[in-house]
């Protein structure tokens, strides 16, 4: 049985991850920023522990990892860095605060969690870290400069940590979703959404469970010799 910590588990892809790991028989704790109602619903449905924590705050992350260890009955063995925010707009209009919000959540938050969780994994000589990137981190998205930069940063973080932590028995991989049906895309207008689907070779929007399946694979015994890899779950969009 894994002890799994997932950031951003209250909604969307993260909630699907909580459900999938819980169904797998793993002990699961998840972090969320502010949506108590959604977090409590996922927790009561799955039996997972919900912990309120803004991942962009390193002190809050330290406390949250300790709380997760208590809730899980031991150190985290699988960490999934999924919490993320997006911002759409011209780069010339992007404020310092918006730039920092996106980078601090998507990239720094993942780093803070990796830093806190790795000590126990190194001691156990066993661990799995899975980062949720985005196809925009590979291709870049117009009018999403901070988001694309944060997700490209996760590629570097994944590969560097895979090399650093491999000798300690820890694998580090990244899943890059394409267009997935969650609230994150609620701001997309119908034409943009249709255009993205048309550009997707598999001709559909993805579901959170499509992403969960890839994450569960990286956490499984079948993936024990795979590290530093970046797997697109995007219907072929970024090929
Ligand atoms: P979502 O539906 O908007 O859910 C975001 C989740 O992240 C929520 O649980 C939210 O908590 C949490 N969160 C946001 N900021 C946080 C913070 N500072 N600290 C802790 N938790 C925070 O997003 P999603 O579509 O499921 O996306 C999940 C991940 O997949 C993100 O990293 C996103 O970039 C990536 N992704 C998504 C798509 C897509 O098309 N949906 C495509 C590629 C990549 P609250 O509920 O409390 O707000």
């Amino acid at each position: 049985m894994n002890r799994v910590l997932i950031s951003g588990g209250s909604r969307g892809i993260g909630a699907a991850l909580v459900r999938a790991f819980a169904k797998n028989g793993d002990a699961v704790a998840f972090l969320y920023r502010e949506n108590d109602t959604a977090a409590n619903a996922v927790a009561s449905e799955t039996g997972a522990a919900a912990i309120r924590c803004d991942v962009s705050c390193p002190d809050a992350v330290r406390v949250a990892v300790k709380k997760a260890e208590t809730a899980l009955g031991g150190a985290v063995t699988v960490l999934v860095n999924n919490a993320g925010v997006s911002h759409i707009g011209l780069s010339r209009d992007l404020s310092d605060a918006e730039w920092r919000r996106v980078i601090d959540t998507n990239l720094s938050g993942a780093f803070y969690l990796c830093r806190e969780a790795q000590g126990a994994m190194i001691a156990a000589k066993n661990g799995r870290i899975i980062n949720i990137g985005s196809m925009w981190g590979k291709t870049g998205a117009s009018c999403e400069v901070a988001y694309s930069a944060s997700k490209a940063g996760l590629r570097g973080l994944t590969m560097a940590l895979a090399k650093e932590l491999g000798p300690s028995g820890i694998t580090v991989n990244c899943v890059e979703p394409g267009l997935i049906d969650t609230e994150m895309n609620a701001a997309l207008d119908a034409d943009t959404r249709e255009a993205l689907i048309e550009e997707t070779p598999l001709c559909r929007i993805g579901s959170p469970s499509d992403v969960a399946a890839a994450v569960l694979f990286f956490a499984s015994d079948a993936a024990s010799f795979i590290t530093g890899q970046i797997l697109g779950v995007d219907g072929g969009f970024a090929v």
Side-chain angles (χ1 to χ4, degrees), residues 10-11 13 34-35 54-55 82 147 151 178 180 182 185:
S10 49
R11 294 184 285 118
I13 293 168
E34 63 188 3
N35 195 330
D54 181 345
V55 298
N82 164 78
Y147 185 79
K151 296 299 188 178
I180 306 295
T182 72
N185 291 316

Side-chain angles (χ1 to χ4, degrees), residues 28-230:
V28 184
F30 68 89
L31 310 181
Y32 67 102
R33 180 186 45 190
E34 63 188 3
N35 195 330
D36 297 320
T37 308
N40 291 337
V42 173
S44 57
E45 176 197 332
T46 60
I51 300 165
R52 190 170 173 148
C53 165
D54 181 345
V55 298
S56 68
C57 172
D59 289 338
V61 166
R62 268 183 214 109
V63 173
V65 170
K66 294 269 175 297
K67 284 185 185 167
E69 288 171 351
T70 304
L72 294 169
V76 173
T77 59
V78 176
L79 169 66
V80 187
N81 287 307
N82 164 78
V85 289
S86 63
H87 174 88
I88 298 177
L90 293 173
S91 57
R92 67 165 180 255
D93 297 332
L94 188 63
S95 68
D96 296 351
E98 260 315 311
W99 168 264
R100 277 197 295 267
R101 184 179 76 93
V102 174
I103 298 291
D104 289 356
T105 303
N106 299 3
L107 180 57
S108 305
F111 166 68
Y112 300 146
L113 277 160
C114 289
R115 188 171 60 185
E116 287 312 305
Q118 66 175 259
M121 291 181 181
I122 291 169
K125 281 216 148 255
N126 175 47
R128 302 288 169 95
I129 296 173
I130 301 133
N131 299 315
I132 306 300
S134 163
M135 65 181 178
W136 299 136
K138 179 180 181 185
T139 66
S142 174
C143 297
E144 292 196 59
V145 71
Y147 185 79
S148 301
S150 71
K151 296 299 188 178
L154 278 180
R155 296 185 136 227
L157 182 139
T158 298
M159 293 184 282
L161 269 187
K163 290 179 178 172
E164 182 180 322
L165 299 178
S168 299
I170 300 164
T171 69
V172 188
N173 291 291
C174 180
V175 171
E176 289 188 335
L179 185 66
I180 306 295
D181 200 5
T182 72
E183 286 169 36
M184 183 171 272
N185 291 316
L188 290 182
D189 60 61
D191 287 349
T192 307
R193 191 180 151 105
E194 277 315 305
L196 287 167
I197 292 170
E198 259 175 43
E199 270 185 74
T200 303
L202 288 177
C203 304
R204 70 169 172 89
I205 191 167
S207 71
S209 58
D210 289 322
V211 181
V215 173
L216 252 77
F217 167 68
F218 279 132
S220 73
D221 290 344
S224 65
F225 198 51
I226 300 175
T227 195
Q229 300 305 304
I230 294 159

